[in-house]
Amino acid sequence: MIPAAFDYYRPKDMAGVLALLQEHGDDARVMAGGHSLIPMMKLRMAEVPHLIDLQDVPGMSEISIGDGKIRIGALVTQHDIIAHEGLAQSAPILREAAMQIADPQVRYMGTVGGNLANGDPGNDMPGLMQCLDAQFTLVGADGERSVAAREFYEAAYMTARADDEVLTEITLATPNGGYAYEKQKRKIGDYATAAAAVQITRDGSRCASASIAMTNLSDVPVWSQSAGSALVDTEVGSDAIKAAVAYMLDEIDPTEDNRGPVAFKRHVAGAILTRAIQRAWSRA
Amino acid sequence: MKDDVELTREDRVANLKGMGCARKRVEDARFTQGKGNYIDDINLPGMLHGDFVRSPYAHAKVLSINTEAAMALDGVIAVLTAKDLEPLSLHWMPTLAGDKQMVLADGKVLFQGQEVAFVVATDRYIAADAVELVEVEYEDLPVITDPFEALKSDIVLREDLAGQTSGAHGPRKHHNHIFTWEVGDEEATNQVMDEAEVVAEETMYYHRTHPCPLETCGSVASMDKVNGKLTVYGTFQAPHVVRTVASLLSGIEEHNIRVISPDIGGGFGNKVGVYPGYVCSIVASIVTGVPVKWVEDRMENLMSTAFARDYWMKGRISATKDGKITGLHCHVTADHGAFDACADPTKFPAGFMSVCTGSYDIPVAYLGVDGVYTNKAPGGVSYRCSFRVTEAVYFIERMIEVLAIELNMDAAELRRINFIGKDQFPYQSALGWEYDSGDYHTAWDKALKAVDYEGLRREQSERVTAFKQGETRSLMGIGLAFFTEIVGAGPVKNCDILGMGMFDSCEIRIHPTGSAIARLGTISQGQGHATTFAQILASEIGIPADSITIEEGDTDTAPYGLGTYGSRSTPVAGAATAMAGRKIRAKAQMIAAYLLEVHDDDVEFDVDRFVVKGAPERFKTMAEVAYAAYNQAIPGIEPGLEAVSYYDPPNMTYPFGAYVCVMDIDVDTGVPTIRRFYALDDCGTRINPMVIEGQIHGGLTEALAVALGQEIAYDDMGNVKTGTLMDFFLPTAWEVPNYETDHTVTPSPHHPIGAKGVGESPHVGGVPCFSNAVMDAFRAFGLRHSNMPHDHWRIWQTAQDLGLHK
């Protein structure tokens, strides 16, 4: 559990970060909370000759809410998410999800930006941000660009972010309606066997809109448009939920691991999604 | 002393904080402030650091080892391989089970994670870098991870034993076979089975798991070449035995070796054995003349140091139609991995598995165990239990449940009608043990009443109905377990380790001002010896526990003992402590009589003083006696007040308990929720109720882990699939339910204070209790047995196999 030697940098501004990324290319990695990258380095599964710590770069630790938008800096920790009263009011699904990530000690360090940028299929925030249709701000040598969460993930640990870019901010429209983040895990600190993020709005007795994403059931998070659509214009009864689940099961592609075989994961995915939809609808 | 006169007798008893007092643990002040002194806290001047090159293969020839690149790295002092150890005859070492084990790979590797080369460098980071630079050329060989396949295979795992038809425990039937061990009368058992009205059969796998102490294993060896003394600090549950083994292996005279176990962060059996890391750090220190530290990381601990269980158990149990058990037959295929490194008393290659008749009056029984080599890590230690007792108790408690199903009978009632009766103690079991004492019916009735057992069964039956009617997807399981432990190894006449009889010891010195130090041959790994042994002494000699220092773990100062495992500290060293205390008291009585100017027989001990019989105002406190012992010439009595006792127990002790677990199971996700856990323990005389409760919480938590998910799993290639705490289940406060503890007290008749040991009972009883709860939930749907660990997917699979998913 001892990493290979590496150089450690702690630039004071983003220009410094970008200069280092330019200089060292894919030999460099930026680090926020370090709770994904450091263990990988200790296991010598990730070799990072140049480690760039973002902690001294200003302007990425804020949460701001206004004009129907929520902005979350990349260095905002899971603990910050949980503790932020305004966020609990305007996007309670974030707190519900963050509460189910790892344990308090990890949540004090682990950041939203790191969780999103690492591209680990086990991370909870990517699926959640797809559910909420968030936009990620990426800053590179050529300036700033925005990529939709739903477009960001290409494969396990592969994202639309270029090696010399930094994910700096997450922006999303303030969600409406009922919500649920449902996660099954073997124990505290574990990744999901299956997790579902559901945000749903109601028009009278019928569903007006629904967005559904699931985590750790493929090499990328799975946002299923058809699963959401299956609920719209229904009363979210058992048939509609079954239809939504069926669409989702078509799109996930779990693999066997110590959490269990594929058949089990598919069954659990269905059960978890059913419960998430029911809970979200009950809150809509 | 004047103040004492004012105190009531009750006050004086309370001041001692002796037996029965819920005294706070004296160790915790340093542990909770981060001031413990663990192996990795030991840093000696000029110390070097060792790290292992380990095999990525489970079975392979080692064609070559090139250390050039590693040696070229700045700061690397040495890279040891088997070739370097061979001239010292240390490339192999004896195991505690009469086998031998490679210290470093000698021509081949036999399990993933096996030690191949030992790098020594000036700092820990350089050592880790150098490990990467050692080039090892392997030629992989076919891998066997299944013991049944091993017994049929032409592949010879242990080529070093080729042609040896006999091992330490008798004949070997096959080149991958280690031993056959038989207890009981198989012919008579078979006959009973043939004639029985009812016979229930079941095969069960008690999976491989690991004790996983929070602190991993490690050592710091320091050879002083000037005075020829070797000091070894290490994570040793048996420091004195380590000294003897180190002397025998190295040829260094035993008086020139000092072994020190500092604070140990949990052992649970993992730190009983001798590991290649210890040997390599010692050799490296002898070679370099400076101290060498080796501390394994978590993955190394899980992959290479001693595992537990891995027993395939096939059972048959016979009974009358009314449920009276008539016989028990058990055969075990024991997967010992690449080397037989089990930590059992020499004459017991399957430990005390023969206590598998449990708490029941079973007239005839047979146990056969076959040990087998496979390409898995060596070990086979008693993880929070006495030797193989968790396996034995799990086996019988499952057989009882299976028999209850066969008889269509309530499992609580079946237990009740088969318990050994209170008036049958001392009880001779069919497999040769003499149970010292017990009152099982009282404990069982108390437990069932406490949980309203009948009410629970009613609720369960309503739940089954609701489930069948589609009103719920949750089932309810009621887990029952009644266990009898066999601890306190043990009588020297039949228990030894490497020839060392399993006595234990205590040496007491009373200081002139009335405080004391006591040293024992055991070593606490978190059990709280410094707290509880002081309480035994306080009650025996009348000096407050707060004025008694307990010291263990330094072989230069402590008397020889066999160490701490198998709940033997209180039954053996605790007895030695009481006996040594009584020697102190006997001498003190003579001194007191002299001071009081009466005959020895005219004074009697009372709490903290000697009183003239019939004249309670005339007394001398133990403190006054101690002072006199050092400051006054007393005719016919040597100065000083010291005693030593070596205690050879006449028998084991047999703690027992009754556990009930109530569990809800989510049929669709396989998630179990423990609603209630009730644990009644009878450990005889209770020394410290708070320490007992802590022990029970800890043991139950490890039982929950093992029953519900903790395993060392291998794939077909012999790769460890559970090498980190991501996949190896170590419960946290989040996963642990509330435990309700309760007790009865049936003192051991042969132990000086009647104590029986408690640290392992909750694990022994807890594993079958949690497991039985899972399986009981599915009994109404036809489940007979399903193997542990009952993690989510396996519970789901059980429901799936029973057709409970629509």
Side-chain angles (χ1 to χ4, degrees), chain B residues 179-201:
Chain B
F179 64 83
T180 299
W181 188 58
E182 291 180 289
V183 190
D185 188 336
E186 186 170 28
E187 207 181 303
T189 306
N190 284 337
Q191 195 181 335
V192 164
M193 300 276 157
D194 290 343
E195 293 165 2
E197 291 174 355
V198 180
V199 179
E201 287 189 43

Side-chain angles (χ1 to χ4, degrees), chain B residues 221-232:
Chain B
S222 178
M223 183 73 207
D224 184 331
K225 290 203 166 176
V226 175
N227 62 22
K229 296 243 180 210
L230 171 68
T231 304
V232 186

Side-chain angles (χ1 to χ4, degrees), chain B residues 697-709:
Chain B
H697 285 199
L700 288 176
T701 299
E702 284 178 319
L704 171 143
V706 170
L708 300 185

Side-chain angles (χ1 to χ4, degrees), chain A residues 93 123-134 149-150 153 180-183 192 194-200 210-217 220-228 231 244 248 251-252 269 272-274 276-277:
Chain A
I93 192 172
N123 285 350
D124 290 281
M125 286 287 164
L128 177 63
M129 292 303 172
Q130 289 194 342
C131 169
L132 298 174
D133 198 15
R150 292 175 188 171
Y153 297 95
Y181 194 79
E182 183 87 20
K183 180 178 180 179
V198 176
Q199 191 80 36
I200 195 162
S211 179
I212 297 173
M214 293 197 79
T215 287
N216 217 15
L217 293 162
V220 290
V222 177
W223 175 73
S224 169
Q225 185 164 21
S226 34
L231 300 178
M248 179 57 86
E251 294 187 38
I252 61 172
I272 292 296
L273 180 54
T274 301
I277 293 170

Side-chain angles (χ1 to χ4, degrees), chain B residues 161 276 442 509 666 745 765:
Chain B
L161 301 178
T442 300
R509 295 179 186 181
D666 183 332
V745 177

Side-chain angles (χ1 to χ4, degrees), chain A residues 1 44 187-188 258 275, chain B residues 129 297 666 721 725 735:
Chain A
M1 301 291 206
R44 298 196 177 211
K187 57 178 181 174
I188 283 295
N258 287 329
R275 290 169 198 187
Chain B
D129 288 343
D297 68 25
D666 183 332
K721 291 160 68 183
L725 296 186
E735 289 86 12

Side-chain angles (χ1 to χ4, degrees), chain A:
Chain A
M1 301 291 206
I2 290 185
F6 58 89
D7 289 329
Y8 175 80
Y9 306 87
R10 202 174 169 108
K12 297 285 182 201
D13 53 31
M14 187 53 72
V17 174
L18 295 176
L20 285 164
L21 285 173
Q22 286 286 309
E23 186 184 344
H24 299 294
D26 61 4
D27 273 353
R29 287 283 297 273
V30 299
M31 178 186 82
H35 274 56
S36 296
L37 190 56
I38 298 289
M40 297 300 272
M41 290 169 67
K42 284 184 168 180
L43 292 168
R44 298 196 177 211
M45 289 166 84
E47 206 183 334
V48 181
H50 302 279
L51 185 67
I52 307 166
D53 192 337
L54 296 176
Q55 291 296 338
D56 281 356
V57 179
M60 289 195 287
S61 303
E62 313 299 318
I63 297 171
S64 64
I65 304 168
D67 296 337
K69 283 211 177 307
I70 296 171
R71 293 175 180 278
I72 301 169
L75 293 187
V76 166
T77 65
Q78 311 294 354
H79 171 75
D80 295 336
I81 295 275
I82 292 165
H84 198 277
E85 285 306 325
L87 209 52
Q89 292 298 316
S90 28
I93 192 172
L94 292 175
R95 176 186 276 187
E96 185 161 297
M99 286 291 285
Q100 297 179 66
I101 293 174
D103 55 63
Q105 285 164 307
V106 172
R107 297 196 293 252
Y108 285 129
M109 294 298 292
T111 64
V112 177
N115 193 290
L116 289 170
N118 197 37
D120 186 332
N123 285 350
D124 290 281
M125 286 287 164
L128 177 63
M129 292 303 172
Q130 289 194 342
C131 169
L132 298 174
D133 198 15
Q135 295 283 321
F136 301 157
T137 303
L138 302 174
V139 174
D142 302 330
E144 207 175 275
R145 65 184 179 119
S146 182
V147 178
R150 292 175 188 171
E151 310 285 320
F152 189 69
Y153 297 95
E154 295 165 353
Y157 303 102
M158 305 281 285
T159 67
R161 185 186 64 85
D163 284 339
D164 59 356
E165 287 182 312
V166 179
L167 191 160
T168 58
E169 191 176 62
I170 300 97
T171 315
L172 54 123
T174 304
N176 295 314
Y179 66 92
Y181 194 79
E182 183 87 20
K183 180 178 180 179
Q184 179 168 340
K185 55 187 173 182
R186 294 172 297 179
K187 57 178 181 174
I188 283 295
D190 194 16
Y191 293 123
T193 301
V198 176
Q199 191 80 36
I200 195 162
T201 60
R202 177 194 282 271
D203 183 7
S205 65
R206 304 184 87 78
C207 168
S209 70
S211 179
I212 297 173
M214 293 197 79
T215 287
N216 217 15
L217 293 162
S218 178
D219 65 341
V220 290
V222 177
W223 175 73
S224 169
Q225 185 164 21
S226 34
S229 301
L231 300 178
V232 176
D233 267 347
T234 74
E235 293 187 340
V236 194
S238 64
D239 287 348
I241 294 175
K242 273 184 190 155
V245 167
Y247 282 118
M248 179 57 86
L249 292 180
D250 269 352
E251 294 187 38
I252 61 172
D253 183 21
T255 50
E256 177 170 346
D257 59 19
N258 287 329
R259 292 177 189 85
V262 171
F264 163 71
K265 288 189 171 183
R266 293 182 63 81
H267 192 104
V268 168
I272 292 296
L273 180 54
T274 301
R275 290 169 198 187
I277 293 170
Q278 284 167 343
R279 196 165 75 232
W281 182 243
S282 74
R283 289 162 163 171

